[in-house]
Coordinates of all heavy atoms in Angstrom, one line a residue:
S372 N 100.0 147.0 85.2 CA 100.7 146.0 86.1 C 101.6 146.6 87.2 O 101.6 146.3 88.3 CB 101.6 145.1 85.2 OG 100.8 144.4 84.3
I373 N 102.4 147.6 86.8 CA 103.3 148.3 87.7 C 102.5 149.0 88.8 O 102.8 148.9 90.0 CB 104.2 149.3 86.9 CG1 105.2 148.6 86.1 CG2 104.9 150.3 88.0 CD1 106.1 149.5 85.2
V374 N 101.5 149.8 88.4 CA 100.6 150.5 89.4 C 99.9 149.5 90.3 O 99.7 149.8 91.5 CB 99.7 151.5 88.7 CG1 98.8 152.1 89.7 CG2 100.4 152.5 87.9
G375 N 99.4 148.4 89.7 CA 98.8 147.4 90.5 C 99.7 146.8 91.6 O 99.3 146.6 92.7
A376 N 101.1 146.6 91.3 CA 102.0 146.2 92.2 C 102.2 147.2 93.3 O 102.3 146.9 94.5 CB 103.4 145.9 91.5
I377 N 102.2 148.5 92.9 CA 102.4 149.5 93.9 C 101.1 149.6 94.9 O 101.3 149.8 96.1 CB 102.5 150.9 93.2 CG1 103.8 151.0 92.4 CG2 102.4 152.1 94.2 CD1 103.9 152.3 91.6
V378 N 99.9 149.4 94.3 CA 98.7 149.5 95.1 C 98.7 148.3 96.1 O 98.3 148.5 97.2 CB 97.5 149.5 94.2 CG1 96.2 149.2 95.0 CG2 97.4 150.8 93.4
F379 N 99.2 147.2 95.6 CA 99.2 146.0 96.5 C 100.1 146.3 97.7 O 99.8 146.0 98.9 CB 99.7 144.8 95.7 CG 99.8 143.5 96.6 CD1 98.6 143.0 97.3 CD2 100.9 142.8 96.7 CE1 98.7 141.9 98.0 CE2 101.0 141.6 97.5 CZ 99.8 141.2 98.1
L380 N 101.3 146.8 97.4 CA 102.3 147.2 98.6 C 101.7 148.2 99.5 O 101.8 148.1 100.7 CB 103.6 147.6 98.0 CG 104.4 146.6 97.2 CD1 105.6 147.3 96.6 CD2 104.9 145.4 98.1
T381 N 101.0 149.2 98.9 CA 100.3 150.2 99.6 C 99.3 149.7 100.6 O 99.2 150.1 101.7 CB 99.7 151.3 98.7 OG1 100.7 151.8 97.9 CG2 99.1 152.4 99.5
M382 N 98.4 148.8 100.1 CA 97.3 148.2 100.8 C 97.8 147.4 102.0 O 97.2 147.3 103.1 CB 96.4 147.4 100.0 CG 95.5 148.3 99.1 SD 94.5 149.5 100.0 CE 93.5 148.4 100.9
L383 N 98.9 146.7 101.8 CA 99.5 145.9 102.9 C 99.9 146.8 104.0 O 99.7 146.5 105.2 CB 100.7 145.0 102.4 CG 100.4 143.8 101.5 CD1 101.6 143.2 100.9 CD2 99.5 142.8 102.3
A384 N 100.6 147.9 103.7 CA 101.0 148.9 104.7 C 99.9 149.5 105.3 O 99.9 149.7 106.5 CB 101.9 149.9 104.0
L385 N 98.8 149.9 104.6 CA 97.7 150.5 105.2 C 96.9 149.6 106.0 O 96.4 150.0 107.0 CB 96.8 151.1 104.0 CG 95.5 151.8 104.4 CD1 95.8 153.0 105.4 CD2 94.8 152.3 103.2
G386 N 96.7 148.4 105.6 CA 96.0 147.4 106.3 C 96.6 147.2 107.7 O 95.7 147.0 108.7
E387 N 97.8 147.2 107.8 CA 98.5 147.0 109.1 C 98.1 148.2 110.1 O 97.8 147.8 111.3 CB 100.0 146.9 108.9 CG 100.8 146.8 110.2 CD 102.3 146.7 110.0 OE1 102.9 147.8 109.6 OE2 102.9 145.7 110.1
M388 N 98.1 149.3 109.6 CA 97.8 150.5 110.5 C 96.3 150.5 110.8 O 95.9 150.9 111.9 CB 98.2 151.8 109.8 CG 99.7 151.9 109.7 SD 100.3 153.5 109.0 CE 99.9 153.3 107.3
A389 N 95.5 150.3 109.7 CA 94.0 150.5 109.9 C 93.4 149.4 110.8 O 92.4 149.7 111.5 CB 93.3 150.4 108.5
A390 N 94.0 148.2 110.8 CA 93.5 147.1 111.7 C 93.8 147.5 113.2 O 93.1 147.1 114.0 CB 94.1 145.8 111.3
Y391 N 94.9 148.2 113.3 CA 95.3 148.5 114.7 C 94.5 149.8 115.2 O 94.1 149.8 116.4 CB 96.8 148.9 114.7 CG 97.5 149.1 116.0 CD1 97.5 148.0 116.9 CD2 97.9 150.3 116.4 CE1 98.1 148.2 118.2 CE2 98.5 150.5 117.7 CZ 98.6 149.4 118.6 OH 99.2 149.6 119.8
V392 N 94.4 150.8 114.4 CA 93.6 152.0 114.7 C 92.5 152.2 113.6 O 92.7 153.0 112.6 CB 94.5 153.2 114.8 CG1 93.7 154.4 115.2 CG2 95.7 153.0 115.7
P393 N 91.3 151.6 113.7 CA 90.4 151.6 112.7 C 89.5 152.9 112.8 O 88.4 152.9 113.5 CB 89.6 150.4 112.9 CG 89.7 150.0 114.3 CD 91.0 150.6 114.8
I394 N 89.9 154.0 112.2 CA 89.0 155.2 112.3 C 88.8 155.8 110.9 O 89.4 155.3 110.0 CB 89.8 156.3 113.1 CG1 91.2 156.5 112.5 CG2 90.0 155.9 114.6 CD1 92.0 157.6 113.2
A395 N 87.8 156.7 110.9 CA 87.3 157.2 109.6 C 88.4 158.0 108.9 O 88.4 157.9 107.6 CB 86.1 158.1 109.8

Side-chain angles (χ1 to χ4, degrees):
S372 298
I373 291 174
V374 176
I377 292 173
V378 169
F379 181 57
L380 293 176
T381 301
M382 286 303 296
L383 289 174
L385 178 57
E387 180 178 69
M388 295 184 287
Y391 188 69
V392 183
I394 54 176

